[in-house]
Amino acid sequence: MKTNPVIDFIRKFYVYIILVIMYAPILVLIAFSFTDTRLIGSWNGFSLRLYSSLFKNEEIVTAAVNTFAVAFASAAVSTILGTLGAIGIFYSGKRTKAVLEGIGQIPIMNAEIVTALSLTILFVFFGVKFNFLTLLVGHVVLTIPFVVLSVRPKLMQMDPNIYEAALDLGATPNKALMKVIMPEVIPGIVSGFILSVTLSLDDYIITAFTKDPAYQTLSTYVYGVTSKKGTLPPSLRALTTIITLLALVVLLIANHRSKTGGKKTHHNR
């Protein structure tokens, strides 16, 4: 079926405009991370001074370490609990599955400020002192539903009879879970873990409500510096460039592994 050239051009132009709007600010930020000007817009010549000064700024380095510590710790916990939850929901009865799926959608649709306030009230009610553990719980509550959503499609694509077949052949339920189900849902688990890390890195509201006042993450540090000084330290441009490049590398590796796995599966078939 032939397409109208004008309509085809409009579609492509629309996509390109959206991509430019999305990525132009990031590209500008990356470009100005290679000059030591304080304000974006004036170019003082190519320089790597911001990258060298970045690692000398103890506040930024501490905030970055804290941010990644919370992100990977919460992602690990969320991935384990979310994967087990997705499997439990998948093998539940119809009514139970419908109820659990509905409950699982609430944290995603709910406003983040509501979740943060609820957790804060809960911690205060039980007299829990705000520390790393309360922050970890907050991020786990935020990210678990997204792990469930990442694992569920892989469970739905899986042959539902292979688990029962493994049990009939003498495997214990735990062995059938680890040897049969887990290999089938590994792509969903990896996607859920990466998504959890991204959500945790990006979070401010739950972090601000559940952390120890002395514990700074990048989001709370940026907000605090901006509210006091009105501008951000130029070295933050270098940090955001590094984070962006790391995310790009992870994405390229994940896509390569996905394509390689798809080719192997097709070849085996």
Side-chain angles (χ1 to χ4, degrees), residues 190-213:
V190 174
S191 298
F193 180 83
I194 295 174
L195 184 58
S196 297
V197 171
T198 304
L199 290 170
S200 180
L201 291 175
D202 186 53
D203 180 74
Y204 169 76
I205 297 177
I206 289 179
T207 302
F209 276 79
T210 59
K211 75 178 185 67
D212 185 309

Side-chain angles (χ1 to χ4, degrees), residues 3-17:
T3 59
N4 190 316
V6 177
I7 296 177
D8 189 51
F9 171 79
I10 293 174
R11 288 174 179 171
K12 292 182 180 179
F13 181 76
Y14 176 77
V15 172
Y16 293 148
I17 288 294

Side-chain angles (χ1 to χ4, degrees), residues 152-207:
R152 272 183 57 199
K154 296 301 177 182
L155 288 168
M156 295 174 67
Q157 294 172 8
M158 181 182 68
D159 185 350
N161 298 317
I162 58 175
Y163 178 73
E164 286 78 5
L167 296 178
D168 292 338
L169 292 172
T172 63
N174 289 335
K175 191 171 184 179
L177 173 66
M178 298 304 298
K179 296 292 185 179
V180 176
I181 296 179
M182 285 302 179
E184 295 287 334
V185 300
I186 281 179
I189 294 174
V190 174
S191 298
F193 180 83
I194 295 174
L195 184 58
S196 297
V197 171
T198 304
L199 290 170
S200 180
L201 291 175
D202 186 53
D203 180 74
Y204 169 76
I205 297 177
I206 289 179
T207 302

Side-chain angles (χ1 to χ4, degrees), residues 2-268:
K2 294 183 178 181
T3 59
N4 190 316
V6 177
I7 296 177
D8 189 51
F9 171 79
I10 293 174
R11 288 174 179 171
K12 292 182 180 179
F13 181 76
Y14 176 77
V15 172
Y16 293 148
I17 288 294
I18 296 298
L19 291 175
V20 168
I21 294 173
M22 289 175 59
Y23 291 105
I26 298 175
L27 294 176
V28 170
L29 192 66
I30 292 174
F32 278 91
S33 71
F34 295 101
T35 184
D36 60 354
T37 179
R38 286 197 60 84
L39 299 176
I40 293 179
S42 60
W43 184 265
N44 288 347
F46 182 84
S47 173
L48 296 176
R49 190 173 300 173
L50 294 184
Y51 290 88
S52 61
S53 64
L54 168 65
F55 298 100
K56 297 177 183 178
N57 191 319
E58 293 184 2
E59 289 185 338
I60 295 179
V61 171
T62 301
V65 171
N66 292 343
T67 301
F68 281 99
V70 175
F72 282 98
S74 62
V77 176
S78 297
T79 302
I80 295 171
L81 297 180
T83 301
L84 296 176
I87 294 172
I89 293 173
F90 182 75
Y91 284 103
S92 298
K94 290 184 179 180
R95 292 184 179 179
T96 304
K97 179 188 272 189
V99 172
L100 292 176
E101 287 179 347
I103 294 175
Q105 296 291 332
I106 294 176
I108 298 174
M109 300 177 63
N110 202 13
E112 194 173 329
I113 185 65
V114 175
T115 303
L117 284 172
S118 301
L119 289 171
T120 302
I121 294 171
L122 182 67
F123 294 143
V124 171
F125 179 79
F126 286 102
V128 179
K129 184 179 179 181
F130 289 96
N131 50 32
F132 181 84
L133 183 59
T134 58
L135 178 59
L136 180 65
V137 170
H139 281 238
V140 168
V141 171
L142 171 68
T143 54
I144 274 184
F146 295 93
V147 176
V148 175
L149 287 180
S150 298
V151 175
R152 272 183 57 199
K154 296 301 177 182
L155 288 168
M156 295 174 67
Q157 294 172 8
M158 181 182 68
D159 185 350
N161 298 317
I162 58 175
Y163 178 73
E164 286 78 5
L167 296 178
D168 292 338
L169 292 172
T172 63
N174 289 335
K175 191 171 184 179
L177 173 66
M178 298 304 298
K179 296 292 185 179
V180 176
I181 296 179
M182 285 302 179
E184 295 287 334
V185 300
I186 281 179
I189 294 174
V190 174
S191 298
F193 180 83
I194 295 174
L195 184 58
S196 297
V197 171
T198 304
L199 290 170
S200 180
L201 291 175
D202 186 53
D203 180 74
Y204 169 76
I205 297 177
I206 289 179
T207 302
F209 276 79
T210 59
K211 75 178 185 67
D212 185 309
Y215 194 90
Q216 290 290 343
T217 63
L218 285 174
S219 60
T220 57
Y221 171 77
V222 168
Y223 178 81
V225 172
T226 305
S227 60
K228 290 179 182 178
K229 299 181 180 180
T231 58
L232 292 174
S235 53
L236 275 177
R237 300 201 297 266
L239 179 61
T240 54
T241 300
I242 293 172
I243 294 175
T244 301
L245 293 178
L246 286 175
L248 180 61
V249 170
V250 172
L251 179 63
L252 292 175
I253 293 174
N255 287 339
H256 176 72
R257 290 179 64 88
S258 177
K259 290 180 180 178
T260 304
K263 288 180 180 179
K264 288 182 179 179
T265 303
H266 180 73
H267 178 72
N268 292 334

